[in-house]
Amino acid sequence: MEKILTVIMLVIFFGVMIGVGMYSRRHAADVNGFVLGGRGVGPWLTAFAFGTSYFSAVIFVGYAGQFGWLFGLAATWAGLGNAFIGSLLAWNVLGRRTRVMSQHLDAKTMPDFFGKRFNSTPLKVVASLIVFVFLIPYTASLYNGLSSLFGLVFNIPYWVVILVMAVLTGVYVIFGGYMATAINDFIQGIIMLVGIVAVILAVLSKQGGLLSAMQKLSEVPAEGWSGGAFSSFFGPDPVFLFFVVILTSLGTWGLPQMVGKFYAIKSENDIHKGTVISTVFAIIVAGGCYFLGGFGRLYADKIGYSEATGKPLFDTIVPAMLSTLPGVIIAVVIVLVLSASMSTLSSLVLASSSTFTLDVIKPLNKKEMSDKKQVAIMRVFIVFFIVVSAVIAVVKDANPGITFIAQMMGVSWGGLAGAFLAPYLYGLYWKGVTKASTVVCFIWGTGLAITQFVISMTMTADQIAAFPGILSLVFKTSIHSGVFAMVGGLIIVPIVSLITPKMNKKDVDGHFSCFEKKYTAEVTAKERIEEAK
């Protein structure tokens, strides 16, 4: 019965996704429609697209299990950070100015923004190559956790699960472009909201309620604590928790697939409404995921452990929690995780393909490219990026000993955010940002990520801990180096901008003129009469 119910729900889910793709074809006839939905996407669709691109199966299965195990209920701070820093603050700080300036510059992607904001085609191409190098591993990580969840109901090979997800996502993105992605993100977001609430209630019910579950968690011992570490306010390791909050929250400000949502929203007036919707969505989904993961230690006897190290396999924690629940909840969770993964995958491959086509292929092509040809090339690259990410995921699963894939996945978020966050943020607000400072920040962010990758591949934790001074903290994990990359960029860009040649004042003033336009409200006949009196 459980298997039949899951199959029915999956068939309906897949049918709706493909149907939306077919319906949205009329919005994907030209480049502007395919990449940005014609810049006419409403606040609800944009907010849900932002949220579902943010929260994938990586968070629900991987991060919720890992950080819930490490921090207990204090892991919920990561979810709240995602809501208030990664969503609320991001919309308020970046939303309006991104929408206005991107339209003024006719920028369709983040690399395109860099190229036009700093009058440099090479800068645009380099930014696009950074997106290509660091987004692909991140895309491959979206498949993590699907195997163990599907194993609760179906006895099918992992590669089949990946293939089905990749093909279906490819179909609706290729046909419908951004609009299909946005509509499906809205549907998938509703599934995620309902699913996470249902799972939390079911898990707590199994533990005898919230108070009973917290009481059991407070009795779990932790090193250096007499008791209550995993039910405490900041958990057993507040410093590491702080780094997690900053990376997973502030990092969204520099990710092209996230910032790109502001390019497509219909108008400035929709930003406020989208801010509220996106923040509420993040509180429920991200806060709920990490809160759920906080009870992971209550299932220590059911999870998997590494034979080599004896440490827990974090991707097995949430599936272990779910294995005790009724079949209908498991069916909902499988659709939930597929929704989370497919929504993020569609956003990433659309960002990658549009960036590579518009910011690399088009500038290097000496002949004029029609909209039809550009859209066709983007569709080809969508297939390419989906295939590459799926192959990486299958290879990683079949060969656990190939650790470089996992390490590359770990540094991808920090590398992108470290390179892009600071120059993009300053570029929206400050006329004094120079092209040289942007180049230095690109080198800083990607250089730190690559250094972290090499160190993680060649050294043990004890060897890294022996690094002199602050270096032992910077390279302790990819989370630490990612935070230092972002924060360092925020310091580097203004310093380098002050000591390097300024951009042409006339050009910069032209870029910022979009914020200086004055609008006069129409006076109604009734107001004229009242004024005359």
Side-chain angles (χ1 to χ4, degrees):
M1 183 62 186
E2 178 182 306
K3 185 178 293 187
I4 295 173
L5 178 63
T6 306
V7 169
I8 292 173
M9 292 178 68
L10 288 175
V11 169
I12 295 172
F13 173 73
F14 293 148
V16 170
M17 297 299 105
I18 294 175
V20 168
M22 299 303 176
Y23 165 78
S24 303
R25 282 191 299 175
R26 59 192 177 93
H27 296 284
D30 58 14
V31 172
N32 196 45
F34 192 84
V35 177
L36 298 175
R39 294 189 191 267
V41 184
W44 281 90
L45 292 185
T46 302
F48 271 69
F50 186 91
T52 54
S53 298
Y54 197 166
F55 310 119
S56 67
V58 176
I59 288 181
F60 183 77
V61 178
Y63 282 3
Q66 177 182 356
F67 298 135
W69 182 272
L70 295 176
F71 308 125
L73 290 182
T76 308
W77 283 111
L80 295 178
N82 294 172
F84 294 108
I85 300 174
S87 296
L88 177 64
L89 205 56
W91 276 75
N92 277 302
V93 174
L94 301 178
R96 176 184 172 272
R97 296 187 79 89
T98 292
R99 176 64 180 85
V100 173
M101 187 177 275
S102 66
Q103 183 172 16
H104 178 67
L105 298 177
D106 191 28
K108 296 179 177 65
T109 65
M110 184 180 276
D112 194 20
F113 172 87
F114 286 127
K116 290 174 177 174
R117 170 65 178 83
F118 299 104
N119 301 328
S120 173
T121 298
L123 195 65
K124 176 170 70 171
V125 173
V126 170
S128 182
L129 292 175
I130 292 172
V131 171
F132 174 77
V133 170
F134 286 93
L135 264 193
I136 289 295
Y138 179 53
T139 304
S141 72
L142 300 178
Y143 302 98
N144 285 356
L146 289 175
S147 176
S148 51
L149 283 176
F150 269 79
L152 296 176
V153 179
F154 303 106
N155 185 24
I156 55 178
Y158 181 39
W159 68 266
V160 174
V161 178
I162 293 176
L163 179 64
V164 171
M165 175 180 156
V167 169
L168 288 167
T169 304
V171 167
Y172 76 74
V173 178
I174 289 169
F175 279 108
Y178 184 86
M179 187 57 75
T181 299
I183 296 173
N184 276 332
D185 284 350
F186 181 75
I187 298 169
Q188 292 160 347
I190 292 174
I191 294 171
M192 291 167 67
L193 288 171
V194 173
I196 193 63
V197 171
V199 171
I200 290 173
L201 293 176
V203 168
L204 292 179
S205 177
K206 272 286 185 180
Q207 293 294 331
L210 176 60
L211 294 179
S212 175
M214 291 184 67
Q215 177 60 38
K216 294 176 184 177
L217 196 62
S218 68
E219 296 170 359
V220 177
E223 185 178 349
W225 286 69
S226 56
F230 298 108
S231 59
S232 63
F233 200 65
F234 290 119
D237 192 350
V239 174
F240 188 29
L241 176 60
F242 172 77
F243 276 88
V244 170
V245 172
I246 296 300
L247 181 73
T248 60
S249 302
L250 192 61
T252 60
W253 296 33
L255 299 182
Q257 76 275 15
M258 301 298 298
V259 175
K261 301 299 184 288
F262 301 133
Y263 289 48
I265 197 166
K266 192 172 184 178
S267 68
E268 294 179 62
N269 297 329
D270 290 326
I271 295 291
H272 177 70
K273 187 181 292 184
T275 302
V276 176
I277 298 167
S278 179
T279 303
V280 172
F281 182 88
I283 290 172
I284 297 173
V285 174
C289 283
Y290 287 111
F291 176 75
L292 175 68
F295 295 100
R297 290 206 175 237
L298 300 182
Y299 297 82
D301 59 330
K302 295 181 173 62
I303 68 173
Y305 292 86
S306 169
E307 295 181 1
T309 64
K311 294 182 178 180
L313 300 173
F314 296 126
D315 283 355
T316 67
I317 295 174
V318 170
M321 300 171 74
L322 300 174
S323 65
T324 63
L325 302 181
V328 64
I329 298 295
I330 294 176
V332 169
V333 168
I334 288 177
V335 178
L336 180 161
V337 173
L338 266 180
S339 297
S341 298
M342 290 174 67
S343 59
T344 308
L345 178 63
S346 64
S347 179
L348 290 173
V349 296
L350 186 59
S352 300
S353 63
S354 59
T355 294
F356 204 71
T357 301
L358 301 178
D359 305 326
V360 177
I361 302 296
K362 187 180 177 182
L364 296 178
N365 196 309
K366 296 180 180 180
K367 296 181 180 180
E368 186 68 24
M369 294 175 63
S370 66
D371 268 26
K372 187 175 181 181
K373 185 175 181 179
Q374 292 177 58
V375 171
I377 293 173
M378 279 187 272
R379 285 176 167 144
V380 170
F381 275 112
I382 285 172
V383 175
F384 172 75
F385 287 126
I386 287 180
V387 169
V388 171
S389 65
V391 169
I392 292 174
V394 171
V395 170
K396 176 179 176 292
D397 182 70
N399 302 275
I402 303 179
T403 56
F404 75 89
I405 293 178
Q407 295 296 345
M408 192 62 199
M409 290 175 178
V411 303
S412 59
W413 180 298
L416 282 166
F420 293 154
L421 189 158
Y424 187 82
L425 175 61
Y426 287 122
L428 287 174
Y429 280 89
W430 183 30
K431 294 182 179 181
V433 182
T434 64
K435 181 170 68 175
S437 70
T438 304
V439 172
V440 171
C441 196
F442 283 4
I443 296 171
W444 164 258
T446 56
L448 211 59
I450 293 170
T451 303
Q452 176 70 64
F453 172 72
V454 172
I455 288 174
S456 299
M457 286 294 300
T458 58
M459 296 185 179
T460 64
D462 290 338
Q463 288 174 320
I464 297 172
F467 281 1
I470 196 174
L471 290 179
S472 61
L473 180 62
V474 173
F475 295 110
K476 185 175 182 180
T477 68
S478 59
I479 291 174
H480 291 79
S481 61
V483 171
F484 277 100
M486 291 189 296
V487 175
L490 292 171
I491 298 170
I492 288 170
V493 169
I495 292 175
V496 176
S497 293
L498 292 173
I499 60 176
T500 51
K502 303 296 181 286
M503 293 187 59
N504 183 283
K505 186 178 186 301
K506 183 179 179 181
D507 290 340
V508 176
D509 287 343
H511 297 335
F512 278 79
S513 64
C514 55
F515 300 123
E516 298 165 2
K517 294 178 181 178
K518 295 181 180 180
Y519 301 91
T520 55
E522 182 180 351
V523 180
T524 65
K526 183 178 179 181
E527 288 172 332
R528 290 194 187 99
I529 294 171
E530 291 296 326
E531 186 177 336
K533 291 179 180 179

